[in-house]
Amino acid sequence: MSLRVAVQMDPVLGINIDTDTTFLMMMEAKIRGHKLWFYTPDKLSLEDGRVFARAQPLEVFAEKGAHAKLGETVVLDMKDDVDVVLMRQDPPFDMAYITATHFLEKVHPHTLVVNNPAEVRNAPEKLFVTDFPGVQPPTLITSDYEAIYDFRARHGDIVLKPLYGGGGSGVARLLADDPNLDALLELHAMIGREQVIAQKFVPAVSKGDKRVLLVDGEPVGAINRVPAAGQVRSNLRVGGRAEAVELTARDKELCAIIGPELKKRGLLFVGIDVIGEYLTEINVTSPTGAQQLKRFSGIDAAAILWDRIEGIRSTGG
């Protein structure tokens, strides 16, 4: 089966081919004989009910500095000219991101969008996890300063983070007596009107923040992301170190709790974050970690994903 695949992502020439999960997906598509196009989200348009993108044919190579060859721009009808869209641009999950999901919803599932754009929109990563009682550490989502102060008074050390950020951006730990809470809340308010998340600090983060990858609701493997010395953020893009790790009984239990809902929603490729016994986020926009997982364990999440995509396209389900 040869599929026509459009990849909606951030600029392809700027990625790190040693760590980028989207690159692994594209290389696997190439191996399987699929045709690739590349475009950034701003090149997606809607006119008279028709969704189209100004895209470039793409060839990828496992060669640093020469990993992508782009052809002349063409206009793709996203319903007639494309079989699969990989929606892989990074957050922030802002109105531009949301609008792109509305556009792609008009062609899905005739054109299979991974992940289902309506469900990406309906499952903001730090909100979606609240649908599953008992899996999170104590968590407050609000823009009410008094509620945040009350939360800290009850729980002591907290972590404050933006509701729609990503990659560890804007995440800060505040001790029970830290005088900077007002200033941090003011900074968040200057950025936008969105609520923030206050979460009880989980000391186990010093041992790592586990990223578990799931394909169609089933766990395929995990990596551990360890924060740099003196840091609370373990995200790889802000200096966290990846290391091999096995799935624990608790990890499998958490996956069993959320897996059926992921499958029901058509969220084919998901990364969850686990600290100690707690699930902190369900990442549905552009989950990472597949390259490190393959390097440490030999498990190829991209190949497992493409098996599922090809199965859907060949059978319609």
Side-chain angles (χ1 to χ4, degrees), residues 155-190:
H155 294 290
D157 294 6
I158 64 171
V159 173
L160 196 70
K161 48 190 172 181
L163 182 57
Y164 296 115
S169 177
V171 177
R173 179 188 177 186
L174 291 160
L175 302 180
D177 59 352
D178 194 310
N180 295 305
L181 179 54
D182 274 344
L184 280 173
L185 291 173
E186 289 169 5
L187 286 171
H188 281 290
M190 290 172 63

Side-chain angles (χ1 to χ4, degrees), residues 72-102:
E72 294 295 321
T73 298
V74 298
V75 177
L76 291 180
D77 185 305
M78 300 301 283
K79 192 168 186 179
D80 293 338
D81 298 333
V82 180
D83 299 307
V84 177
V85 175
L86 297 182
M87 188 168 63
R88 291 288 304 174
Q89 77 269 25
D90 290 337
F93 193 71
D94 54 14
M95 288 307 301
Y97 210 118
I98 290 170
T99 300
T101 68
H102 281 290

Side-chain angles (χ1 to χ4, degrees), residues 11-79:
V12 68
L13 295 178
I15 63 176
N16 182 343
I17 69 170
D18 291 332
T19 60
D20 192 90
T21 291
T22 307
F23 183 74
L24 186 64
M25 292 177 176
M26 295 187 297
M27 285 295 294
E28 182 65 24
K30 173 185 177 178
I31 291 169
R32 294 173 182 238
H34 302 321
K35 170 67 176 176
L36 293 169
W37 284 273
F38 155 79
Y39 69 94
T40 50
D42 59 303
K43 300 302 182 183
L44 193 65
S45 303
L46 171 66
E47 182 179 358
D48 296 331
R50 171 177 166 252
V51 180
F52 61 92
R54 295 191 180 277
Q56 295 172 272
L58 170 67
E59 294 182 66
V60 287
F61 308 91
E63 182 180 346
K64 282 190 175 182
H67 62 270
K69 179 181 178 182
L70 294 166
E72 294 295 321
T73 298
V74 298
V75 177
L76 291 180
D77 185 305
M78 300 301 283
K79 192 168 186 179

